Amino acid sequence: MSRYSALVSRLPAGIDALIVTSEKNQRYLSGFPFTDGYVVATRSHGYLFTDFRYIEAAKRETRPEYEVIMFENGNRTALVTEKLKNDGVKVLAYEDNFLTVRELEGLKKEFPDFELVPVGTVLEDMRVYKDEEEIASIVKAQRIAEAALEETLKRLTPDMTEIEVAAELEYHMRRGGAAGTSFDTIAVSGKLSSCPHGVPRNVKLERGFLTMDFGALYNGYCSDMTRTVVLGKADAEMKKVYDTVLQAQLAALDAIKPGADMGEMDKIARDIIYGAGYEGCFGHSLGHGVGMFIHERPGFSRLWFGHPLEAGHVVTVEPGIYLENRYGVRIEDMVAIYEDRAENLTKAPKEMIELF
Ligand code: ZN
Ligand code: ZN
Protein backbone atom coordinates (compact mmCIF):
# COMPACT_ATOMS: atom_id res chain seq x y z
CA MET A 1 0.00 0.00 0.00
CA SER A 2 1.36 3.45 -0.85
CA ARG A 3 1.89 5.91 1.97
CA TYR A 4 -0.82 8.07 0.44
CA SER A 5 -3.34 5.21 0.68
CA ALA A 6 -2.16 4.31 4.18
CA LEU A 7 -2.64 7.91 5.28
CA VAL A 8 -6.11 8.17 3.79
CA SER A 9 -7.16 4.92 5.44
CA ARG A 10 -5.96 6.23 8.80
CA LEU A 11 -7.60 9.67 8.60
CA PRO A 12 -10.25 9.81 11.33
CA ALA A 13 -13.87 9.86 10.17
CA GLY A 14 -15.10 13.36 9.49
CA ILE A 15 -11.77 14.59 8.17
CA ASP A 16 -11.79 15.13 4.41
CA ALA A 17 -8.15 16.09 3.86
CA LEU A 18 -4.82 16.79 5.53
CA ILE A 19 -2.50 19.67 4.74
CA VAL A 20 1.08 18.75 5.61
CA THR A 21 3.43 21.60 6.37
CA SER A 22 6.35 20.01 8.25
CA GLU A 23 9.32 19.21 6.04
CA LYS A 24 9.97 15.72 7.35
CA ASN A 25 6.38 14.57 7.05
CA GLN A 26 6.16 16.12 3.59
CA ARG A 27 9.20 14.10 2.56
CA TYR A 28 7.91 10.98 4.29
CA LEU A 29 4.65 11.09 2.33
CA SER A 30 5.78 12.39 -1.05
CA GLY A 31 9.37 11.14 -1.22
CA PHE A 32 10.49 14.66 -2.17
CA PRO A 33 12.54 16.90 0.14
CA PHE A 34 11.64 20.59 -0.16
CA THR A 35 11.29 23.50 2.19
CA ASP A 36 8.45 25.60 0.82
CA GLY A 37 4.99 24.45 -0.12
CA TYR A 38 2.40 21.89 0.93
CA VAL A 39 1.67 18.24 0.61
CA VAL A 40 -2.09 17.79 0.63
CA ALA A 41 -3.94 14.50 0.80
CA THR A 42 -7.67 14.49 0.18
CA ARG A 43 -9.62 11.24 0.22
CA SER A 44 -9.41 11.07 -3.58
CA HIS A 45 -6.13 12.77 -4.52
CA GLY A 46 -2.61 13.58 -3.38
CA TYR A 47 -1.05 16.93 -4.27
CA LEU A 48 2.36 18.46 -3.84
CA PHE A 49 2.37 22.24 -4.17
CA THR A 50 5.67 24.05 -4.51
CA ASP A 51 7.31 26.87 -6.46
CA PHE A 52 9.72 27.37 -9.32
CA ARG A 53 12.83 26.66 -7.24
CA TYR A 54 11.81 23.05 -6.68
CA ILE A 55 9.50 22.24 -9.53
CA GLU A 56 11.91 20.41 -11.84
CA ALA A 57 13.20 18.07 -9.13
CA ALA A 58 9.70 17.72 -7.67
CA LYS A 59 8.33 16.40 -10.96
CA ARG A 60 11.14 13.86 -11.10
CA GLU A 61 11.22 12.67 -7.49
CA THR A 62 7.69 12.93 -6.11
CA ARG A 63 5.87 9.64 -5.69
CA PRO A 64 3.31 8.99 -8.45
CA GLU A 65 0.32 9.21 -6.08
CA TYR A 66 0.85 12.97 -5.90
CA GLU A 67 0.06 15.51 -8.58
CA VAL A 68 2.84 18.13 -8.62
CA ILE A 69 1.50 21.66 -8.92
CA MET A 70 3.50 24.86 -9.20
CA PHE A 71 2.54 28.05 -7.41
CA GLU A 72 2.60 31.01 -9.75
CA ASN A 73 2.26 34.73 -9.19
CA GLY A 74 1.41 34.51 -5.54
CA ASN A 75 -1.82 32.60 -6.12
CA ARG A 76 -0.99 29.90 -3.58
CA THR A 77 -4.16 29.96 -1.55
CA ALA A 78 -6.50 30.08 -4.53
CA LEU A 79 -4.84 27.09 -6.17
CA VAL A 80 -5.00 24.92 -3.07
CA THR A 81 -8.56 25.99 -2.30
CA GLU A 82 -9.69 25.13 -5.81
CA LYS A 83 -8.24 21.60 -5.62
CA LEU A 84 -9.75 21.02 -2.19
CA LYS A 85 -13.19 22.21 -3.29
CA ASN A 86 -13.06 20.03 -6.41
CA ASP A 87 -12.48 17.06 -4.12
CA GLY A 88 -15.43 18.01 -1.93
CA VAL A 89 -13.35 18.94 1.10
CA LYS A 90 -15.11 20.69 3.96
CA VAL A 91 -13.01 19.63 6.96
CA LEU A 92 -9.27 20.13 6.57
CA ALA A 93 -6.84 18.71 9.13
CA TYR A 94 -3.51 20.31 10.03
CA GLU A 95 -0.43 18.99 11.85
CA ASP A 96 -1.06 20.21 15.39
CA ASN A 97 2.26 18.68 16.43
CA PHE A 98 4.22 21.09 14.26
CA LEU A 99 2.32 24.29 13.49
CA THR A 100 3.09 27.26 15.67
CA VAL A 101 0.16 29.26 16.98
CA ARG A 102 0.99 31.99 14.47
CA GLU A 103 1.17 29.55 11.57
CA LEU A 104 -2.21 28.11 12.51
CA GLU A 105 -3.72 31.60 12.60
CA GLY A 106 -2.17 32.13 9.14
CA LEU A 107 -3.73 28.93 7.79
CA LYS A 108 -7.13 29.90 9.14
CA LYS A 109 -6.90 33.24 7.33
CA GLU A 110 -5.66 31.61 4.12
CA PHE A 111 -8.34 28.94 4.07
CA PRO A 112 -11.54 30.50 5.43
CA ASP A 113 -13.71 28.12 3.38
CA PHE A 114 -12.74 25.05 5.40
CA GLU A 115 -13.14 23.92 8.96
CA LEU A 116 -9.60 23.41 10.30
CA VAL A 117 -9.12 20.59 12.81
CA PRO A 118 -6.04 18.99 14.42
CA VAL A 119 -4.98 15.68 12.87
CA GLY A 120 -3.52 14.22 16.09
CA THR A 121 -1.00 11.40 15.93
CA VAL A 122 -1.95 9.90 12.54
CA LEU A 123 1.45 10.53 10.94
CA GLU A 124 3.45 9.55 14.04
CA ASP A 125 1.48 6.33 14.23
CA MET A 126 2.32 5.58 10.60
CA ARG A 127 6.01 6.39 10.96
CA VAL A 128 6.38 3.94 13.87
CA TYR A 129 6.48 1.08 11.37
CA LYS A 130 9.52 1.26 9.11
CA ASP A 131 9.64 -0.60 5.82
CA GLU A 132 12.77 -2.24 4.38
CA GLU A 133 13.82 0.84 2.49
CA GLU A 134 13.60 3.00 5.59
CA ILE A 135 15.61 0.52 7.65
CA ALA A 136 18.22 0.37 4.87
CA SER A 137 18.60 4.17 5.09
CA ILE A 138 18.98 4.01 8.88
CA VAL A 139 21.62 1.27 8.50
CA LYS A 140 23.52 3.34 5.93
CA ALA A 141 23.42 6.36 8.27
CA GLN A 142 24.74 4.13 11.04
CA ARG A 143 27.60 2.77 8.90
CA ILE A 144 28.61 6.36 8.10
CA ALA A 145 28.60 7.22 11.82
CA GLU A 146 30.66 4.15 12.67
CA ALA A 147 33.31 5.00 10.07
CA ALA A 148 33.42 8.54 11.47
CA LEU A 149 33.97 7.20 14.98
CA GLU A 150 36.84 5.05 13.78
CA GLU A 151 38.50 8.03 12.08
CA THR A 152 37.92 10.25 15.08
CA LEU A 153 39.41 7.77 17.55
CA LYS A 154 42.55 7.55 15.37
CA ARG A 155 42.94 11.31 15.48
CA LEU A 156 42.13 11.88 19.14
CA THR A 157 44.91 13.67 21.06
CA PRO A 158 45.03 14.78 24.71
CA ASP A 159 45.13 18.47 23.80
CA MET A 160 41.96 18.45 21.72
CA THR A 161 38.87 20.25 22.98
CA GLU A 162 35.45 18.65 23.31
CA ILE A 163 34.20 20.84 20.46
CA GLU A 164 37.07 19.59 18.29
CA VAL A 165 36.07 16.00 18.99
CA ALA A 166 32.49 16.81 18.00
CA ALA A 167 33.76 18.57 14.88
CA GLU A 168 35.88 15.55 13.89
CA LEU A 169 32.87 13.27 14.19
CA GLU A 170 30.71 15.62 12.16
CA TYR A 171 33.37 16.23 9.50
CA HIS A 172 33.93 12.53 8.95
CA MET A 173 30.20 11.84 8.80
CA ARG A 174 29.89 14.50 6.09
CA ARG A 175 32.89 13.10 4.25
CA GLY A 176 31.27 9.69 4.47
CA GLY A 177 28.16 10.89 2.67
CA ALA A 178 25.89 12.14 5.45
CA ALA A 179 23.51 14.97 4.58
CA GLY A 180 24.17 16.30 8.06
CA THR A 181 23.95 15.23 11.67
CA SER A 182 20.80 13.74 13.08
CA PHE A 183 21.12 15.93 16.22
CA ASP A 184 23.68 18.15 17.95
CA THR A 185 26.73 15.98 18.57
CA ILE A 186 27.54 15.28 22.20
CA ALA A 187 31.21 14.91 23.15
CA VAL A 188 31.71 15.40 26.89
CA SER A 189 34.67 14.42 29.02
CA GLY A 190 35.60 14.08 32.66
CA LYS A 191 33.09 15.55 35.08
CA LEU A 192 30.76 16.69 32.30
CA SER A 193 30.25 13.06 31.23
CA SER A 194 27.85 12.82 34.19
CA CYS A 195 25.39 14.97 32.21
CA PRO A 196 23.53 12.68 29.79
CA HIS A 197 22.97 15.52 27.33
CA GLY A 198 25.97 17.74 28.12
CA VAL A 199 27.04 20.32 25.53
CA PRO A 200 30.64 20.06 24.22
CA ARG A 201 32.90 22.78 25.65
CA ASN A 202 35.73 24.77 24.19
CA VAL A 203 38.08 23.28 26.78
CA LYS A 204 40.75 20.59 26.55
CA LEU A 205 39.58 17.04 27.12
CA GLU A 206 39.51 16.07 30.78
CA ARG A 207 41.01 12.74 31.76
CA GLY A 208 38.47 10.06 32.59
CA PHE A 209 35.46 9.10 30.52
CA LEU A 210 34.72 10.69 27.15
CA THR A 211 31.13 10.11 26.02
CA MET A 212 30.30 10.62 22.36
CA ASP A 213 26.63 10.50 21.30
CA PHE A 214 26.09 11.28 17.65
CA GLY A 215 24.32 10.31 14.46
CA ALA A 216 24.33 10.81 10.73
CA LEU A 217 21.47 11.83 8.48
CA TYR A 218 21.11 9.82 5.29
CA ASN A 219 18.23 9.83 2.83
CA GLY A 220 16.26 11.75 5.43
CA TYR A 221 16.84 9.11 8.14
CA CYS A 222 18.74 9.38 11.41
CA SER A 223 21.21 7.11 13.12
CA ASP A 224 21.96 7.30 16.84
CA MET A 225 24.90 5.77 18.71
CA THR A 226 26.78 6.43 21.93
CA ARG A 227 30.23 5.20 22.78
CA THR A 228 32.17 6.00 25.94
CA VAL A 229 35.96 5.65 26.01
CA VAL A 230 38.53 6.21 28.76
CA LEU A 231 41.14 8.92 28.41
CA GLY A 232 43.98 7.61 30.56
CA LYS A 233 43.53 4.60 32.83
CA ALA A 234 40.28 3.50 34.39
CA ASP A 235 40.31 2.87 38.15
CA ALA A 236 38.39 -0.01 39.73
CA GLU A 237 35.13 1.89 40.12
CA MET A 238 35.24 3.27 36.58
CA LYS A 239 35.66 -0.29 35.35
CA LYS A 240 32.72 -1.41 37.46
CA VAL A 241 30.51 1.41 36.16
CA TYR A 242 31.44 0.70 32.54
CA ASP A 243 30.98 -3.02 32.93
CA THR A 244 27.60 -2.61 34.64
CA VAL A 245 26.29 -0.42 31.82
CA LEU A 246 27.58 -2.87 29.24
CA GLN A 247 26.03 -5.86 31.03
CA ALA A 248 22.73 -4.02 31.35
CA GLN A 249 22.77 -3.22 27.64
CA LEU A 250 23.75 -6.74 26.59
CA ALA A 251 21.02 -8.27 28.77
CA ALA A 252 18.38 -6.01 27.25
CA LEU A 253 19.66 -6.67 23.72
CA ASP A 254 19.56 -10.36 24.41
CA ALA A 255 15.92 -10.22 25.53
CA ILE A 256 14.67 -7.92 22.79
CA LYS A 257 12.52 -9.71 20.23
CA PRO A 258 9.18 -9.20 18.50
CA GLY A 259 6.40 -9.36 21.07
CA ALA A 260 8.66 -8.52 24.03
CA ASP A 261 7.12 -6.02 26.44
CA MET A 262 8.84 -2.65 26.21
CA GLY A 263 8.51 -1.91 29.91
CA GLU A 264 10.01 -5.30 30.71
CA MET A 265 13.02 -4.60 28.49
CA ASP A 266 13.62 -1.35 30.33
CA LYS A 267 13.32 -3.21 33.63
CA ILE A 268 15.88 -5.83 32.65
CA ALA A 269 18.55 -3.17 32.11
CA ARG A 270 17.42 -1.07 35.08
CA ASP A 271 17.47 -4.01 37.51
CA ILE A 272 21.10 -4.76 36.63
CA ILE A 273 22.13 -1.14 37.15
CA TYR A 274 20.19 -0.74 40.40
CA GLY A 275 21.35 -4.16 41.57
CA ALA A 276 24.97 -3.10 41.19
CA GLY A 277 24.34 -0.25 43.64
CA TYR A 278 23.51 2.51 41.18
CA GLU A 279 19.86 3.09 41.98
CA GLY A 280 18.83 6.57 40.90
CA CYS A 281 21.85 6.92 38.57
CA PHE A 282 20.01 5.89 35.39
CA GLY A 283 17.49 8.67 35.13
CA HIS A 284 16.27 8.26 31.58
CA SER A 285 14.49 5.73 29.36
CA LEU A 286 16.14 2.62 28.02
CA GLY A 287 15.71 4.05 24.54
CA HIS A 288 13.42 5.54 21.93
CA GLY A 289 12.24 5.05 18.38
CA VAL A 290 14.44 6.45 15.59
CA GLY A 291 13.49 7.31 12.02
CA MET A 292 13.25 10.57 10.12
CA PHE A 293 13.13 12.16 13.54
CA ILE A 294 15.77 11.38 16.14
CA HIS A 295 13.06 10.74 18.73
CA GLU A 296 10.04 8.89 17.43
CA ARG A 297 7.49 6.51 18.82
CA PRO A 298 7.68 4.10 20.47
CA GLY A 299 9.14 5.42 23.68
CA PHE A 300 11.14 2.58 25.14
CA SER A 301 10.70 2.97 28.87
CA ARG A 302 8.82 2.10 32.03
CA LEU A 303 5.92 4.14 30.65
CA TRP A 304 5.49 1.56 27.91
CA PHE A 305 4.68 -1.46 30.06
CA GLY A 306 1.98 -3.40 28.26
CA HIS A 307 3.22 -2.41 24.81
CA PRO A 308 5.01 -5.11 22.82
CA LEU A 309 7.84 -4.53 20.36
CA GLU A 310 6.49 -5.01 16.85
CA ALA A 311 7.87 -5.65 13.38
CA GLY A 312 8.96 -2.34 11.88
CA HIS A 313 10.02 -0.72 15.14
CA VAL A 314 13.53 0.70 15.20
CA VAL A 315 14.60 1.57 18.74
CA THR A 316 17.74 2.56 20.59
CA VAL A 317 19.01 0.65 23.60
CA GLU A 318 21.01 3.08 25.69
CA PRO A 319 21.38 2.44 29.39
CA GLY A 320 23.74 4.67 31.36
CA ILE A 321 25.08 5.38 34.81
CA TYR A 322 25.65 9.00 35.80
CA LEU A 323 27.40 9.88 39.06
CA GLU A 324 26.82 13.54 39.82
CA ASN A 325 29.97 15.66 39.79
CA ARG A 326 32.11 12.62 39.02
CA TYR A 327 31.47 10.98 35.66
CA GLY A 328 29.07 9.02 33.51
CA VAL A 329 28.92 6.18 31.01
CA ARG A 330 26.35 5.46 28.31
CA ILE A 331 26.42 2.83 25.57
CA GLU A 332 23.84 3.03 22.80
CA ASP A 333 22.98 0.76 19.88
CA MET A 334 20.00 0.69 17.50
CA VAL A 335 17.84 -2.38 17.01
CA ALA A 336 15.37 -3.18 14.24
CA ILE A 337 12.45 -5.50 14.98
CA TYR A 338 11.30 -7.91 12.27
CA GLU A 339 8.45 -10.46 12.25
CA ASP A 340 10.71 -13.26 13.40
CA ARG A 341 13.73 -11.60 15.02
CA ALA A 342 15.44 -8.49 16.31
CA GLU A 343 18.61 -7.26 14.67
CA ASN A 344 21.23 -5.02 16.22
CA LEU A 345 22.01 -2.44 13.53
CA THR A 346 25.10 -1.17 15.36
CA LYS A 347 28.41 -2.83 14.62
CA ALA A 348 30.88 -0.52 16.41
CA PRO A 349 32.85 -2.33 19.13
CA LYS A 350 31.95 -1.52 22.72
CA GLU A 351 34.47 -3.18 24.99
CA MET A 352 36.10 -0.53 27.20
CA ILE A 353 39.12 1.11 25.57
CA GLU A 354 41.76 3.28 27.25
CA LEU A 355 43.44 5.97 25.17
CA PHE A 356 46.63 8.04 25.73
ZN1 ZN B 1 22.16 8.98 21.17
ZN1 ZN C 1 19.28 7.97 21.62
Side-chain angles (χ1 to χ4, degrees):
M1 198 197 298
S2 72
R3 284 189 197 153
Y4 165 77
S5 307
L7 169 64
V8 168
S9 71
R10 281 171 177 266
L11 278 182
I15 291 180
D16 303 317
L18 170 66
I19 183 161
V20 182
T21 45
S22 71
E23 288 172 24
K24 289 187 180 192
N25 280 334
Q26 287 178 335
R27 183 175 186 173
Y28 174 75
L29 290 170
S30 72
F32 180 61
F34 64 117
T35 59
D36 197 6
Y38 305 122
V39 168
V40 176
T42 72
R43 291 198 178 262
S44 52
H45 293 97
Y47 304 101
L48 185 147
F49 295 92
T50 190
D51 62 44
F52 181 79
R53 293 167 297 168
Y54 294 102
I55 200 72
E56 185 184 335
K59 284 180 177 161
R60 202 168 45 231
E61 295 173 32
T62 301
R63 296 201 174 100
E65 306 85 61
Y66 296 86
E67 182 187 344
V68 176
I69 299 170
M70 185 164 86
F71 288 131
E72 281 173 286
N73 311 325
N75 64 349
R76 302 168 63 122
T77 307
L79 252 182
V80 178
T81 300
E82 184 193 320
K83 290 288 178 188
L84 289 173
K85 283 192 166 170
N86 283 346
D87 288 353
V89 173
K90 292 195 170 62
V91 179
L92 175 62
Y94 59 86
E95 292 174 280
D96 46 309
N97 197 15
F98 290 100
L99 281 187
T100 64
V101 174
R102 182 177 294 180
E103 285 165 343
L104 176 58
E105 290 308 314
L107 267 193
K108 284 181 178 165
K109 282 201 187 94
E110 268 185 83
F111 299 107
D113 298 342
F114 308 104
E115 183 192 342
L116 283 159
V117 298
V119 77
T121 60
V122 169
L123 284 163
E124 286 100 307
D125 293 341
M126 279 176 73
R127 289 202 323 267
V128 167
Y129 302 101
K130 276 79 181 174
D131 62 26
E132 267 175 48
E133 204 183 312
E134 295 180 279
I135 295 177
S137 295
I138 293 170
V139 167
K140 176 68 182 169
Q142 176 56 21
R143 293 289 100 76
I144 290 170
E146 285 166 4
L149 176 62
E150 222 182 299
E151 290 301 321
T152 300
L153 288 177
K154 273 190 230 163
R155 285 168 171 78
L156 221 58
T157 60
D159 59 356
M160 280 169 90
T161 66
E162 291 175 351
I163 286 178
E164 283 171 330
V165 174
E168 284 288 334
L169 288 165
E170 292 177 5
Y171 173 73
H172 290 290
M173 287 195 285
R174 285 292 269 156
R175 287 297 301 254
T181 58
S182 47
F183 57 94
D184 289 342
T185 301
I186 297 171
V188 287
S189 64
K191 274 190 180 176
L192 194 61
S193 64
S194 70
C195 295
H197 276 188
V199 177
R201 301 166 293 179
N202 196 19
V203 299
K204 281 190 180 177
L205 292 171
E206 281 177 39
R207 310 292 276 179
F209 286 121
L210 164 65
T211 297
M212 292 164 286
D213 187 350
F214 58 103
L217 200 56
Y218 184 80
N219 237 351
Y221 286 82
C222 298
S223 71
D224 190 6
M225 155 168 73
T226 307
R227 286 295 179 264
T228 302
V229 300
V230 181
L231 306 180
K233 292 273 172 250
D235 63 25
E237 176 150 33
M238 287 170 74
K239 283 181 186 163
K240 183 187 169 194
V241 167
Y242 191 96
D243 191 55
T244 304
V245 173
L246 183 57
Q247 292 316 315
Q249 200 220 23
L250 292 173
L253 286 169
D254 204 43
I256 286 172
K257 60 179 183 201
D261 186 284
M262 290 195 239
E264 284 296 335
M265 299 300 101
D266 181 290
K267 187 174 185 305
I268 286 172
R270 201 165 296 279
D271 283 351
I272 289 174
I273 287 172
Y274 290 4
Y278 298 108
E279 193 160 354
C281 304
F282 172 25
H284 57 74
S285 313
L286 178 62
H288 53 87
V290 184
M292 294 191 105
F293 295 81
I294 187 60
H295 293 118
E296 296 207 339
R297 291 175 176 222
F300 198 11
S301 70
R302 290 171 285 186
L303 300 175
W304 286 67
F305 265 110
H307 296 270
L309 286 165
E310 293 175 79
H313 284 165
V314 175
V315 291
T316 66
V317 182
E318 49 179 309
I321 294 175
Y322 310 93
L323 306 179
E324 198 178 334
N325 270 321
R326 295 181 64 200
Y327 50 70
V329 171
R330 178 168 66 260
I331 304 171
E332 175 179 28
D333 288 356
M334 281 186 306
V335 178
I337 311 297
Y338 297 94
E339 293 290 346
D340 57 343
R341 68 186 199 286
E343 188 180 319
N344 191 338
L345 305 179
T346 307
K347 305 296 177 202
K350 52 194 173 190
E351 63 272 15
M352 195 183 81
I353 54 170
E354 297 172 323
L355 298 166
F356 315 147

